[in-house]
Amino acid sequence: MAISLLVTDRNLNVLGDPILGWTQLTCELNFNAPASGTVAMPARPEYVELLQPGNRLVVVRDKEIWCAGPMEQPQEYQWDLGQNSGVGSVAVTFADDLARVAGYLTYPEPSKTFANQTTGSDVVRKFTTANAETIMRTLVSENCGPTALTARRIEKLVLDAAAGVGTNRTVSTRFEPLLDAVRAAAVSDGLGFRTKQVGSEIRFGVYAPKDLTGTARFSAGLNNLRSVRFTMAAPLATSELVMGGNDPAQQATPANQRAYTEVLSGTAADWYRVEKLIQESGKTDADGELTLAGRLAFGNDNPQASLATETVDTADLRAGRDYGLGDLVSVVLPTGLEIADVVQTIRLEASPDGGERVTSVIGNNDKTTMRATVWTVRDLAYRLGQLEARG
């Protein structure tokens, strides 16, 4: 195991010496969401001096940065006389730099301060028929990156080289969480986004996950499948009724009439019709915005078939080397069924005495919206029922 921990300030300057006395480390990298981690160490004065607000923790594994970002809880100190714990212990909760991006809202007029936003009308930041990657990069750059107002810039944050991925779409946003707007641009193409520290820069980049179903396979027989869980429940909606246009309180004119679009999931034939109203004031479907809102809603409302697996690294198949976040991989269930799903989380656990273990979560353990996965879960439930009956 070769793991080292560094502390930097917000400008990425290394502070003090590496932390060598840590006792337990856990770090989860998440697809299109900030990472999260904790590390425990003795509360030595030289360590506590580094664990201050505004500083960052950098986890280096095998000479490469595994995770780097702000300390969200720099100190959780504990001392117990009964346990003869000496100076006591301190735990640090940290994230990656995407957590800082997540702390911003989308200004409708990003070149103006909040106090100087236009008051005469509800201005929105709108990208009309633009490339998805370009939208994502622009949103980050103008709200917290190199082209943002000076007071809103994240130190050392730059845009990574463009990957040249994504198709055209229309996205509108107004004072919503920045990462929500970025995800809206990413979802239709299944794009991923992340931050990474490279030298003295924090780079925000977009990428297209890979289809590795032919090479990244997990099963009990390969000794890299640790657990399988599944649930099945009815959809929350099969018909998204999206209402756009302006607010009812405004005078009805052709320029601000209501707009209505129905987006169907196609699952009503399997279950039954369930309607849900979505309000998207100020938007029309001229550029497909209402349709996109309906499609995004199905991410939560489609049949609640959830299939989650946890894998473990082996010499032949390692996270970060052979597959990464967002990649599509294959899972062979103990029943013989083989499914494909997305790598959602990669988790690193380490201790000086116990070594390290890397596991991955494949599939969303809250809900899976892929129709093929819904049928797989139904088939799995049937087979398990048959097996139980035979027993």
Short mmCIF file of all heavy atoms in Angstrom, two decimals, residues 49 58 186 205 363 370 377 390:
data_model
loop_
_atom_site.label_atom_id
_atom_site.label_comp_id
_atom_site.label_asym_id
_atom_site.label_seq_id
_atom_site.Cartn_x
_atom_site.Cartn_y
_atom_site.Cartn_z
N GLU A 49 -2.60 21.71 13.87
CA GLU A 49 -2.25 23.03 13.31
C GLU A 49 -2.60 23.12 11.82
O GLU A 49 -2.93 24.20 11.32
CB GLU A 49 -0.75 23.28 13.51
CG GLU A 49 -0.29 24.65 13.03
CD GLU A 49 1.19 24.86 13.23
OE1 GLU A 49 1.86 23.93 13.75
OE2 GLU A 49 1.70 25.95 12.87
N VAL A 58 -5.37 16.20 0.46
CA VAL A 58 -5.01 15.52 -0.79
C VAL A 58 -4.63 14.09 -0.46
O VAL A 58 -3.72 13.84 0.34
CB VAL A 58 -3.84 16.23 -1.50
CG1 VAL A 58 -3.49 15.52 -2.80
CG2 VAL A 58 -4.19 17.69 -1.76
N ALA A 186 -25.95 17.30 -19.09
CA ALA A 186 -25.22 16.05 -19.26
C ALA A 186 -26.10 14.84 -19.49
O ALA A 186 -25.69 13.88 -20.15
CB ALA A 186 -24.33 15.80 -18.04
N GLY A 205 -13.52 19.14 -15.96
CA GLY A 205 -13.59 18.55 -17.28
C GLY A 205 -14.84 17.71 -17.47
O GLY A 205 -15.48 17.27 -16.52
N GLY A 363 -24.67 0.36 -10.48
CA GLY A 363 -26.12 0.51 -10.44
C GLY A 363 -26.51 1.44 -9.32
O GLY A 363 -25.84 1.53 -8.28
N MET A 370 -33.54 2.25 -16.37
CA MET A 370 -33.39 1.56 -17.63
C MET A 370 -34.45 0.48 -17.76
O MET A 370 -34.59 -0.38 -16.89
CB MET A 370 -32.00 0.94 -17.75
CG MET A 370 -30.87 1.96 -17.80
SD MET A 370 -29.24 1.19 -17.74
CE MET A 370 -29.31 0.12 -19.17
N VAL A 377 -34.88 -7.37 -13.38
CA VAL A 377 -35.25 -7.55 -11.98
C VAL A 377 -36.50 -8.41 -11.85
O VAL A 377 -36.60 -9.25 -10.98
CB VAL A 377 -35.44 -6.18 -11.31
CG1 VAL A 377 -36.02 -6.34 -9.92
CG2 VAL A 377 -34.10 -5.46 -11.22
N ARG A 390 -38.63 -24.61 -4.85
CA ARG A 390 -38.01 -25.94 -4.96
C ARG A 390 -37.40 -26.36 -3.63
O ARG A 390 -37.30 -27.54 -3.32
CB ARG A 390 -36.92 -25.90 -6.03
CG ARG A 390 -37.48 -25.73 -7.45
CD ARG A 390 -36.35 -25.54 -8.42
NE ARG A 390 -36.86 -25.18 -9.75
CZ ARG A 390 -36.08 -24.78 -10.74
NH1 ARG A 390 -34.77 -24.65 -10.55
NH2 ARG A 390 -36.62 -24.47 -11.91
#
